[in-house]
Amino acid sequence: EAFPFLKQRPGVSNLVVDSRMEYTLGTLGVGKRGYVDATNAFESVPPHLLGASFLMTAKADGKVAADAGFLSFSVDEETHVYILAPPAPPKQSTKGAAAVALAWLPFRLPSMLSEPDEDADLPSWMQDFERVKGAAAKLHGLLEMRVFRSSEARIGKIELGAWPSSPPAKASVKRTWPFGLSTVSSEPKAATMYIPVLKVVSNRAEIEL
């Protein structure tokens, strides 16, 4: 097929969002902006999602409560919904003094002392989404985003929630000697809002990364 991407985009209508920003529909690709209120453009996207439709959400909307029904729209074909999600917050080990004291024991420590689930930060409305292993998207100046896909294809009205609030990333300050001058590093920060991607179900087997 000369233009297979033409079959990846469903018809989208009835877009409703609880935001002061006006969301818009785009075609996913390198160089495309990811948010309506920021200039961050995609540097990389999963190859199997190139040419798919995506909703340009608002970067600032990642600070609202994670209630279901924040965003809704309708699609006219069987569609897989993908979520390009912000990276998980930095892991904070739950292994405290008790774990250190019991580390010599030959049996396995209780699960409460183990490392937390990498995707434990997901909001409840994403409970039927599955992580696409090995897949990631990258916006300029931001850390890589995780990729999730709805466990079942959807048609008709689709409702998505908001993204839970997270502490703002702190700028890294470096001091130079001998004068003690400080400079702010330009290390990538984490995105604060997800981006939905919509891909029509193909008759061919889809190859996941």
Side-chain angles (χ1 to χ4, degrees):
E1 297 179 355
F3 302 101
F5 60 86
L6 294 177
K7 296 185 178 181
Q8 294 193 46
R9 301 197 296 267
V12 180
S13 60
N14 303 321
L15 176 60
V16 179
V17 59
D18 184 14
S19 172
R20 293 177 296 176
M21 301 290 182
E22 184 176 350
Y23 287 16
T24 187
L25 194 66
T27 302
L28 191 63
V30 174
K32 300 293 185 69
R33 287 172 50 200
Y35 300 110
V36 296
D37 60 344
T39 59
N40 307 87
F42 282 103
E43 293 182 339
S44 64
V45 298
H48 65 289
L49 294 182
L50 280 171
S53 295
F54 80 101
L55 286 173
M56 292 178 66
T57 55
K59 192 175 181 181
D61 284 343
K63 301 177 181 179
V64 299
D67 296 328
F70 169 79
L71 170 64
S72 67
F73 52 89
S74 298
V75 293
D76 61 359
E77 296 185 67
E78 291 280 342
T79 300
H80 279 306
V81 180
Y82 290 80
I83 299 293
L84 306 184
K91 290 183 179 180
Q92 296 181 353
S93 177
T94 56
K95 295 179 180 179
V100 174
L102 297 174
W104 58 271
L105 293 176
F107 54 84
R108 189 175 181 179
L109 292 174
S111 58
M112 64 178 293
L113 298 178
S114 63
E115 293 294 336
D117 180 9
E118 182 181 3
D119 299 323
D121 64 308
L122 299 182
S124 59
W125 59 267
M126 282 188 64
Q127 60 185 353
D128 65 337
F129 282 78
E130 301 170 346
R131 180 80 176 266
V132 181
K133 300 297 183 182
K138 178 76 166 62
L139 287 165
H140 179 71
L142 300 178
L143 296 172
E144 281 192 341
M145 303 178 78
R146 296 169 289 175
V147 181
F148 296 86
R149 193 185 81 167
S150 55
S151 57
E152 296 182 356
R154 303 181 182 183
I155 190 171
K157 186 176 181 179
I158 296 174
E159 290 189 341
L160 304 176
W163 194 255
S165 301
S166 58
K170 295 182 179 179
S172 176
V173 178
K174 297 180 179 179
R175 296 188 179 278
T176 57
W177 301 95
F179 303 105
L181 299 177
S182 61
T183 58
V184 179
S185 69
S186 57
E187 296 177 356
K189 298 180 180 179
T192 55
M193 181 58 176
Y194 69 90
I195 298 174
V197 179
L198 311 172
K199 182 180 179 183
V200 170
V201 174
S202 173
N203 292 326
R204 303 185 303 273
E206 294 184 351
I207 301 178
E208 300 291 357
L209 294 181

